[in-house]
Amino acid sequence: MENLKEECKKTKIGVIPEDWEEIPLHSFIIEQKEYCSDENISLGSLTIGKGVIEKPAQYNREHLVKNSKNPYKIVNCGDFVYNPMNLRFGALGLYKKNKPLRVSSYYNIFRVDTNIVDMDFVYYFFKSKRVLHFYNRMATGSLEEKKRVHFKDFLKFVLHFPPLPEQKKISKILSTWDNAIEKLEELINKKIEYKKGLMQKLLSGELRFPEFKEDWEVKKLKNIILKFPKSNYKAGDGKTEGKYTFYTNGSNNDLYINDYCYNAEAIIANTGGIPYFHYYNGKFSTSADCMVFTTKTDIVKFVYYQLFNNINKINKLGFTGSGLKHLDKKWFDNFKIPLPPLQEQQKIAEILTLQDKEIQLNKNKLKLLKEQKKGLMQNLLTGKIRVKT
C-alpha cells in the first residue's frame, strides 16, 4: 500500500483520485426477483450489523404477510439485499452461503456484473461512511423517519470506482480483516458457552474441588447482603466520557460520569426493564433505578456469579408488571442461593474470574481489529491510500 500524492477530483461523495472511473450503477447491477412461498426454505432477515442471517427455526411471522400475493423473495449465494427504508443506515448485506433463504419481498435484491466491478469491493464500498452519507442526501420522503432510497432511484446513481484490479486488491485486504474478526468472534462465543457450562457445574456443586468436602448451605439473599442507599442520579446523567463508570438499567456499562457515589466491592442490579447484574470493585456511580449491595460475610464475586447464573429464573419470577416489568424486591430479597464454605466460594470465584478475563482480553482484541478495519476502509475506499496492482 502507498500513500500517494496525486491528482484528485471532487465528486458527489467527496475527493477521490483522478483515475477513478465514473460508473452508473445500472450498468453493473442486475435485479433479482425470484418469489417463493415454499415453507421448506428457511426464513432470513437483513440486519445492519450481520447482513443477511437465517432466522431461528421457532421464529414465525407468517401471520404478518399471509394477505400478500408474493410475501417472500429468494436470496441465493452472491446476492445483495438492501432495505430501502434503512439503506442510509447501512442496511445492505451480501449473502455468501449456499443455502437459499426466503426474505421479505419488501427488500430489494440484486447481483453485480463481475466483469465491471468486484463483488466484495462493491459490498464494502456501498457500506462505507461517505456513501452512507450520500444515500442520506438522496433519500426521499416527507417525514425524516420515513425517508428511503427506492431501487429505481438507486439504479440512477453514478459513483466513482477505482480500476478493477485495485478493487480486487482492496477487497482482498478488507476480507483478511473480516476473516480474522469472524474467527475471533467464534472463539469468544465458544469461550462464553464454555464458561456458562462451567458456571452451571461449579455453582450447583455438581463439580467440586477435591479439597472441599463440607455440605453447602441454602440461604435467603436478604440474610447475606447489605443494601447501599440509592443514588440521586438519573439515567440521563450518564455520558460516553467521564472519570467513573456509570450504571443504569441495562446490560451494558459503556456510560461514565465525573463523580462517584460508591466506593466498594458491590453488585449492581437492574430494578426495571430486563434483569441484569454487574460486579464492580472501586469507585462508581449508578442511576437511582439501580439496586446496589454488597455481602455481609460471603464472597461478593461468588454471590454475583450465583445471581447472574439465575437470570432466567429471576426474569420469570422476580420481574413483574403488566407494562414495563420491574423487580419485585420482596421476591428478590427472599431468593435462595446455595453457598459453600468461604474458601470454596473464593476458589470458584477465582476460576470464573479467570474465564471472564480471558473473554474480555479477546473482546479487546476484537475491538482493535474492528478499529483497524474501520481505518483501512476510510483510507482504501476513499483513495487516500492506494494499493499496488
Side-chain angles (χ1 to χ4, degrees):
M1 292 188 288
E2 293 181 320
N3 194 348
L4 299 179
K5 292 182 179 179
E6 54 184 38
E7 291 296 320
C8 295
K9 57 187 175 185
K10 192 173 182 179
T11 71
K12 300 171 189 174
I13 61 170
V15 177
I16 59 169
E18 185 66 39
D19 66 336
W20 282 28
E21 184 184 355
E22 189 178 78
I23 304 179
L25 301 197
H26 66 76
S27 68
F28 64 81
I29 285 179
I30 307 126
E31 185 177 11
Q32 304 295 297
K33 274 190 175 182
E34 184 183 352
Y35 292 99
C36 177
S37 57
D38 185 352
E39 294 184 5
N40 292 315
I41 297 177
S42 301
L43 289 172
S45 181
L46 174 63
T47 68
I48 291 176
K50 295 289 185 181
V52 183
I53 59 171
E54 183 177 351
K55 291 179 178 176
Q58 67 269 24
Y59 184 91
N60 191 324
R61 295 181 71 186
E62 300 283 348
H63 63 285
L64 298 179
V65 294
K66 64 183 179 181
N67 293 325
S68 174
K69 184 179 178 181
N70 294 306
Y72 298 109
K73 290 177 182 174
I74 288 291
V75 178
N76 293 298
C77 183
D79 283 345
F80 287 80
V81 182
Y82 92 75
N83 181 337
M85 180 78 79
N86 294 320
L87 178 63
R88 58 199 174 119
F89 305 119
L92 178 143
L94 172 57
Y95 188 60
K96 286 193 165 185
K97 294 185 178 179
N98 291 320
K99 179 182 180 180
L101 296 176
R102 286 182 297 153
V103 299
S104 168
S105 58
Y106 176 75
Y107 294 152
N108 292 109
I109 303 171
F110 63 88
R111 302 178 80 83
V112 297
D113 184 343
T114 54
N115 293 310
I116 300 174
V117 291
D118 179 76
M119 179 178 69
D120 291 311
F121 176 86
V122 168
Y123 170 70
Y124 293 122
F125 188 67
F126 281 176
K127 296 265 287 186
S128 64
K129 188 176 180 180
R130 57 165 49 179
V131 176
L132 292 183
H133 285 317
F134 173 73
Y135 298 148
N136 198 44
R137 296 199 309 273
M138 296 297 107
T140 58
S142 55
L143 297 173
E144 181 65 29
E145 63 271 19
K146 290 190 176 182
K147 282 186 175 181
R148 64 196 69 198
V149 179
H150 294 285
F151 191 65
K152 60 180 177 62
D153 298 321
F154 182 71
L155 290 174
K156 294 176 185 176
F157 294 159
V158 179
L159 299 175
H160 289 76
F161 295 80
L164 186 55
E166 187 174 354
Q167 291 182 34
K168 292 179 182 293
K169 277 274 192 175
I170 291 171
S171 65
K172 187 176 180 180
I173 291 168
L174 294 176
S175 293
T176 300
W177 256 260
D178 273 343
N179 290 336
I181 287 169
E182 184 179 353
K183 286 179 182 178
L184 193 50
E185 286 176 335
E186 288 175 358
L187 177 64
I188 290 169
N189 289 333
K190 285 180 181 177
K191 287 185 178 296
I192 289 173
E193 288 305 310
Y194 174 77
K195 180 200 159 189
K196 284 181 182 177
L198 188 61
M199 280 179 69
Q200 187 63 39
K201 290 179 180 179
L202 288 174
L203 298 175
S204 64
E206 179 185 342
L207 177 65
R208 297 191 72 181
F209 302 103
E211 65 266 34
F212 300 112
K213 306 292 183 184
E214 294 181 53
D215 291 338
W216 289 26
E217 294 184 79
V218 176
K219 295 182 180 180
K220 288 183 178 179
L221 191 62
K222 67 179 179 181
N223 294 328
I224 66 169
I225 66 170
L226 176 66
K227 293 182 184 178
F228 292 157
K230 277 190 175 183
S231 158
N232 292 321
Y233 288 117
K234 302 185 295 294
D237 292 330
K239 308 298 179 186
T240 55
E241 293 182 359
K243 198 172 179 182
Y244 302 102
T245 298
F246 182 80
Y247 293 101
T248 63
N249 274 339
S251 59
N252 60 47
N253 63 330
D254 53 359
L255 294 175
Y256 301 89
I257 200 166
N258 284 321
D259 196 10
Y260 68 91
C261 45
Y262 306 104
N263 183 7
E265 184 182 17
I267 299 167
I268 302 102
N270 289 359
T271 60
I274 60 171
Y276 208 85
F277 298 95
H278 301 279
Y279 167 87
Y280 201 88
N281 189 2
K283 296 175 181 178
F284 66 96
S285 286
T286 73
S287 54
D289 49 12
C290 289
M291 181 194 298
V292 183
F293 55 92
T294 189
T295 58
K296 294 176 182 177
T297 56
D298 292 283
I299 305 300
V300 180
K301 199 73 177 283
F302 178 86
V303 174
Y304 158 75
Y305 283 126
Q306 279 288 25
L307 291 170
F308 198 89
N309 193 46
N310 282 279
I311 277 183
N312 290 336
K313 185 176 180 180
I314 293 171
N315 181 39
K316 186 177 180 181
L317 301 173
F319 274 69
T320 59
S322 55
L324 181 66
K325 287 187 175 184
H326 62 275
L327 181 63
D328 184 332
K329 294 177 184 177
K330 185 177 179 181
W331 183 91
F332 181 77
D333 286 346
N334 288 284
F335 182 69
K336 296 178 181 179
I337 58 175
L339 294 165
L342 288 179
Q343 285 186 328
E344 189 171 359
Q345 288 185 36
Q346 184 66 49
K347 185 152 187 176
I348 290 172
E350 287 172 356
I351 294 294
L352 295 177
T353 297
L354 285 174
Q355 296 295 316
D356 281 337
K357 286 181 177 178
E358 191 174 351
I359 290 168
Q360 189 58 51
L361 181 64
N362 282 293
K363 284 183 176 180
N364 292 341
K365 290 180 183 176
L366 180 63
K367 183 180 179 182
L368 180 60
L369 279 176
K370 288 182 175 180
E371 287 174 353
Q372 289 173 342
K373 181 196 166 188
K374 186 178 178 181
L376 280 171
M377 288 182 68
Q378 179 64 24
N379 287 318
L380 294 174
L381 299 176
T382 59
K384 288 181 181 177
I385 291 180
R386 305 296 298 273
V387 295
K388 291 181 179 181
T389 58

